[in-house]
Amino acid sequence: MIEFVVGLTLGFLAYVFFRVVLTGFYVIPPDQRAVITTFGRADRLSSDFNEPLDDPNLTEEEKKRYTYPKVKVVGPGGPYFKMPWQEVHKVNVATRSIDLVWDPTKKQDTIEAVTKDNLTTGVNGQIRYRVSENNMYAFLFGVESPLEHIMGYFVSVLRERIATFSDPKGASLLAKPSDDDDEARTTIDLSEGVSINDLRKNLPLLNAYMEEQCRCTPGRYGVELDAALITTIDPPPEVDRALSAINSTRNQVAADISTAQADAEQQITMSKRAVDIASNNAQAEVAPLRELARTLTQIKSEGGTSALRAYIRDMRVPLLARATSVVQTQDEK
């Protein structure tokens, strides 16, 4: 009996030594944070369990749905001590990147999406993300697989955007349409363009739109989307060949238009120069006549008609000396 009691005591002391001394201390690396749970309940900052996060990126309906408590977050350092009934949940908060095709339920090489032209295209790229320290509860306990949720949310928003995408022609995808924009919106909707070409031309704008639309993910899943890097939009081979032909034709048309505009501008410039030359010649011919008229008028006003006739007679002398024949009318004597 004594041996049994001694063995039980030694076993208990060994268990306490293992559970309390050996596993009771823990260290938090610089790129990690930790949340402590006591009997499965996370330590909170206050007793107000239902205090919602005041996230301006969530709608009023989302604030009611995604109500998470604020928990105590253990920063890097240590060693820290925990009781045997407590559990440490470590989370890596460093910024990480993941391929857009990542899906734990299946293997895929690209994300398929249907464009506005009913063409199935493949999308590829990466997203950068990090765990939100302000909403650690949602990441650890809100959903079973937060990264899988945010990837599904991102892909859903991306497919919706691709399915309705039109070339904004310089306008922002993030600007909300107003009543005054009816005319501009109609112009965009009626624009003739291939959606895949428009998507390829506006990849930076599409990335900015995705980042804006995913600003609510910290409040919903505890994951902050740092950047969306959609790099590839590949249509099927037969569609790609057709797009290449369309692009070649458009480039040829653009080159022909540029050549025609250059020729037209050259013709207009030459015509303007010809008009200037003709105007200068006309002014050169008119100027002596105007000067002669001014001289005759001045002579008549100062010397009278007799002086004018004498001046005209004197002016005829050099002309008559060079003339080979003279025709005199009856009135002129």
Side-chain angles (χ1 to χ4, degrees):
M1 186 61 183
I2 296 176
E3 294 177 353
F4 175 76
V5 174
V6 173
L8 182 62
T9 303
L10 292 177
F12 177 75
L13 293 176
Y15 174 79
V16 171
F17 178 78
F18 179 78
R19 292 288 298 174
V20 177
V21 178
L22 293 185
T23 63
F25 295 94
Y26 62 94
V27 176
I28 306 300
D31 59 341
Q32 293 184 0
R33 303 291 185 271
V35 175
I36 308 299
T37 56
T38 304
F39 294 112
R41 187 177 188 273
D43 295 341
R44 290 161 173 74
L45 291 176
S46 66
S47 59
D48 189 359
F49 179 83
N50 293 323
E51 181 182 0
L53 294 174
D54 188 15
D55 192 340
N57 297 309
L58 295 179
T59 63
E60 294 301 325
E61 189 273 336
E62 289 175 333
K63 288 181 180 179
K64 296 178 182 177
R65 187 195 309 173
Y66 300 102
T67 302
Y68 299 113
K70 297 179 180 178
V71 296
K72 294 180 181 177
V73 178
V74 181
Y80 299 107
F81 179 76
K82 71 176 185 64
M83 301 305 292
W85 51 84
Q86 291 182 321
E87 185 176 358
V88 180
H89 301 268
K90 297 182 180 179
V91 178
N92 192 326
V93 295
T95 300
R96 289 175 288 178
S97 62
I98 188 170
D99 289 338
L100 199 61
V101 297
W102 178 81
D103 190 339
T105 61
K106 60 182 177 181
K107 185 178 180 181
Q108 55 186 357
D109 297 327
T110 185
I111 296 293
E112 292 186 351
V114 180
T115 67
K116 189 178 180 181
D117 304 335
N118 292 326
L119 298 176
T120 301
T121 183
V123 183
N124 214 327
Q126 289 185 334
I127 62 173
R128 288 205 308 261
Y129 72 96
R130 59 176 175 268
V131 177
S132 173
E133 295 186 39
N134 297 325
N135 197 12
M136 200 76 76
Y137 187 95
F139 181 80
L140 288 173
F141 313 110
V143 291
E144 182 176 357
S145 178
L147 184 58
E148 186 176 352
H149 273 74
I150 193 173
M151 289 297 296
Y153 177 80
F154 184 89
V155 172
S156 299
V157 175
L158 177 64
R159 283 174 171 162
E160 184 273 338
R161 182 67 268 179
I162 290 177
T164 58
F165 187 88
S166 296
D167 189 358
K169 302 185 185 304
S172 174
L173 291 177
L174 306 179
K176 295 182 179 179
S178 60
D179 296 337
D180 299 333
D181 296 337
D182 290 342
E183 184 178 355
R185 184 168 58 251
T186 302
T187 302
I188 292 173
D189 292 339
L190 294 178
S191 62
E192 294 182 359
V194 181
S195 295
I196 294 178
N197 276 342
D198 296 341
L199 287 167
R200 284 174 168 174
K201 289 190 300 182
N202 296 280
L203 275 182
L205 202 60
L206 185 62
N207 286 327
Y209 174 84
M210 295 304 300
E211 293 174 9
E212 180 67 23
Q213 291 299 308
C214 292
R215 290 188 186 280
C216 62
T217 54
R220 298 175 64 162
Y221 309 119
V223 177
E224 298 180 9
L225 181 66
D226 184 65
L229 304 172
I230 300 171
T231 56
T232 306
I233 296 180
D234 289 329
E238 59 275 12
V239 177
D240 197 16
R241 288 193 293 270
L243 291 177
S244 299
I246 292 174
N247 291 333
S248 299
T249 304
R250 287 184 173 179
N251 293 335
Q252 183 62 41
V253 170
D256 293 342
I257 291 175
S258 298
T259 303
Q261 289 178 344
D263 293 340
E265 291 178 356
Q266 184 178 7
Q267 293 295 331
I268 292 173
T269 302
M270 294 177 64
S271 299
K272 288 182 178 179
R273 290 183 177 177
V275 170
D276 293 339
I277 292 172
S279 299
N280 293 333
N281 291 334
Q283 291 178 358
E285 293 179 359
V286 169
L289 298 177
R290 288 181 175 176
E291 183 64 24
L292 178 60
R294 188 164 48 251
T295 303
L296 296 176
T297 302
Q298 185 178 1
I299 293 172
K300 186 178 180 179
S301 61
E302 294 179 356
T305 305
S306 58
L308 180 60
R309 286 180 179 178
Y311 177 78
I312 294 175
R313 185 183 63 246
D314 295 339
M315 292 295 295
R316 284 179 178 177
V317 173
L319 295 177
L320 292 175
R322 288 183 295 175
T324 56
S325 61
V326 177
V327 178
Q328 184 176 4
T329 61
Q330 294 180 354
D331 295 338
E332 189 175 359
K333 296 181 181 179

